[in-house]
Structures are given as C-alpha cells and as structure tokens.
Amino acid sequence: CHLIHYLRLSHHLIVLNYLICTFDKLKDVSSEDIKITDAVFDGVEVRVFEPPAKGDESLKRSIVYIHGGGWALASARTSLYNNLCRIMAESLNAVVVSVEYRLVPEVCFPEQYHDALRATKHFLQPDVLAEYSVDPSRIAISGDSAGGNLAAAVCQQLSKEEDLAVRPKLQALIYPVLQAFDFNTPSYQQNMNMPVLPRSVMIHYWIDYFNGNYDLAHELLVNNHTALNVGRALSFRARLNWTSLLPASFKKNYKPVVQSTGTAAIVEQLPALLDVRAVPLLADDATLARQPRTYVLTCENDVLRDDGAMYAKRLQHAGVPVTLDHFHDCFHGCMIFTVWPTDFSAGVQTRNSYIKWLDENL
C-alpha cells in the first residue's frame, strides 16, 4: 500500500516537473525593454527585473517575489515565473527581485526560509535599494503557494527585528500554504482529489520539506499528529480553529476531524510541524499585529483555500488591514498559466486582480 502511494506521488511530481520544463521552452512575453540581471544577495541567487528609466522620475517601488513549487520545483528563471515578474515590473513600473532559493532535495527546512530571509534583508539595506533606485517606503514581499509560505514567514521575522532601517509596506500572498496542523479543513476535504494539488501531494511536499518519512503520510492525513493527547499541539489549536475563522460559505456541511488519541511521536520526529517559520498560521497574535497591510488571494478549487482565509481573518482580528481576494472558479497555481497553450482565463483574471491591488496600495 505504501509503495503504491509513493509511486502515485512520484508520478504526479514527475508530471509537474515535465510540465514546468516544457513551459520553460515558451517565449517570454513582454512589450517593454525590461532589464533582467542575475545577482547574488548575501549568498542567495536572485533575478532582478528593472523597467527602463523614464526621464526625471522619482524612485521606483519594488516587489520581492518568492516563487512556488512545493519548496521542491520551479525556479525564478523558468519562463512561467520569468513572464510573471516581467509583467509585474512593466505593469507597475517597479523593480522586481525574484528569489532563487535552494530546493528539496538539495536542502530541506529551514534552509529555504533562511535563503528567502537573507536575500530579502540584503535587498532592504539602504545602499542596495539606492543602487536599484528603489523607494524604501514602497516595498512589498510577495509569493505564491510555497513561495507565499516563505513570504509570510519572512514578513513575520522582519517584524520582530528592531534594528531594521527599512521594512516592507505590504505583503501579498497568492494561494499560500500556511499550516500543516489540520489536513481536514473544509477545502482539504472538498478538494482532496483536485488536479494540480491533491491533498496527498500536499502532504508529500510537507514531508519532503521536513526531510521526513513517507510512512507518516496516513497519520498526517487523519490528523493523528495534532490529536487531543498531543500536548505540544494543544496550545496552537485555537489559532486555526476553522469553525470560527471561516465564513459559512467555506464551511458548508463539513465537520472537524479531531482525534482524541493520536501519535505524539510524530511531532517529536518532525518538530517543524509546529515551527512558525514553517507554518506561519500558528504565529501568536502579537506577531500578527505587527504585519504590514496584506493581500491574500484564494481559489475555490484548492486544498489551500482555507489556509489563506484563516490567515486573513486572524490578521484582521489583530488589527491589520487585509484584502481577501477569493475566486470561485479558479484553481491552485492558475496565476502562472497565462501563456499559450495554457493561457487560462483564470490565470489572467487572478494576475490582473493581484497587480491591480499592488498598483493601488504600493
């Protein structure tokens, strides 16, 4: 049974990787002469997108972008993300820094997080911002899926560092993955077999990110790792109680899956399951209250829909201005699929809404 499960997951990842490599052969899309350079920020590779200077204009706004792919796939250099960042740079007349963090299996948590944090902190230095003609008061941190996870974690850490001269004005999270506490939220139940990101594949990504054993997959799936007898998990339970954090339209008729007796050893084997650097939704209220104005994009046909919705609600409760941008007919990963032969209307719709929010708020 475990072998069959592993083979199915491996096949899914092989297909995803094949699609990414295939799309990488597509031409870049841009109508402007965006300058693209590769650089190294504090040991981390980045790709910088700079729009052309326009006469006597003042300093530009900027976005630090962290790509998705389950901490294991894709790249700042693939056509899919190259196109997205070029269009962002052009549409917003902004400098976009796309972070090329290291991937599973080369490294596991917390290295991806450290890469994203180091690159971002390097860029936020006043002399580096001056080099790229960036306005220090108009910087956003953003990312999609696993990149949204890293963006949220980086923002939380930056908010705790008292000696920073420059802080992000905004964070923009696109269908972010934010918790590994409950794999039976309504969206996980509703979309458990949804293409692109089935529940079993998301659990597989988490296990790989934490360098864990696939034998734990079933126990995670039924929430044995956060059962009522797992003492280390108890204090976090209220922070993602979806019965109070989600709107009725999301909850529908789904019931919580809470085991009375589970396996405490799972958290001992994978302590990162309860590490806020990996699971930003578990952050305390004081940390959330320090976050910048936030945009969260969610899709109905996505196991991660409720992660984003719960984070938005908790930020609102903490006093942070939040825009929850929900798309009823869209699916996980759709924003990067905007180039033929995958020029989906869902991709264009979500991308345009995201860029519009950045344009109005950054």
Side-chain angles (χ1 to χ4, degrees), residues 135-307:
D135 184 340
S137 67
R138 304 178 74 190
I139 300 168
I141 310 295
S142 184
D144 65 296
S145 193
N149 167 283
L150 295 169
V154 165
C155 267
Q156 288 185 8
Q157 179 57 35
L158 293 177
S159 75
K160 298 173 184 177
E161 301 196 6
E162 298 180 356
D163 58 345
L164 283 182
V166 178
R167 298 182 184 278
K169 179 182 182 182
L170 310 171
Q171 67 174 337
L173 312 176
I174 303 161
Y175 31 75
V177 49
L178 298 170
Q179 60 91 22
F181 191 97
D182 185 356
F183 291 108
N184 290 275
T185 62
S187 61
Y188 263 115
Q189 295 186 55
Q190 174 183 310
N191 300 296
M192 66 174 67
N193 295 314
M194 188 63 64
V196 180
L197 190 63
R199 176 170 61 174
S200 58
V201 171
M202 191 62 245
I203 292 173
H204 178 94
Y205 280 138
W206 276 117
I207 291 173
D208 280 345
Y209 188 36
F210 295 155
N211 196 25
N213 191 311
Y214 297 137
D215 290 343
L216 297 175
H218 178 72
E219 297 214 59
L220 293 173
L221 187 148
V222 298
N223 288 347
N224 273 350
H225 60 304
T226 53
L228 295 177
N229 71 321
V230 180
R232 290 183 59 191
L234 282 177
S235 61
F236 293 106
R237 186 167 297 282
R239 298 182 187 178
L240 42 69
N241 177 10
W242 61 257
T243 63
S244 63
L245 291 171
L246 295 179
S249 60
F250 283 17
K251 289 186 285 189
K252 301 182 175 68
N253 293 319
Y254 292 105
K255 304 298 181 187
V257 175
V258 182
Q259 307 294 351
S260 57
T261 303
T263 311
I266 299 174
V267 177
E268 303 302 323
Q269 292 179 51
L270 301 177
L273 285 165
L274 301 177
D275 188 325
V276 294
R277 298 174 302 169
V279 285
L281 188 53
L282 296 186
D284 58 36
D285 291 341
T287 298
L288 295 186
R290 293 192 293 265
Q291 299 315 297
R293 179 181 294 270
T294 299
Y295 172 91
V296 181
L297 187 150
T298 56
C299 296
E300 183 68 20
N301 305 306
D302 182 5
V303 293
L304 302 179
R305 179 199 68 191
D306 296 346
D307 284 25

Side-chain angles (χ1 to χ4, degrees), residues 20 47 49 75-76 93 115-116 118 125 127 144 174 176 179-180 220 232 238 242 257 263 280-282 288 337 349-350:
I20 289 170
R47 174 160 284 193
F49 300 76
S75 162
N93 190 34
D115 284 358
R118 286 204 313 274
Q125 295 178 104
D127 58 331
D144 65 296
I174 303 161
Q179 60 91 22
L220 293 173
R232 290 183 59 191
W242 61 257
V257 175
T263 311
L281 188 53
L282 296 186
L288 295 186
F337 296 117
Q349 182 185 5
T350 51

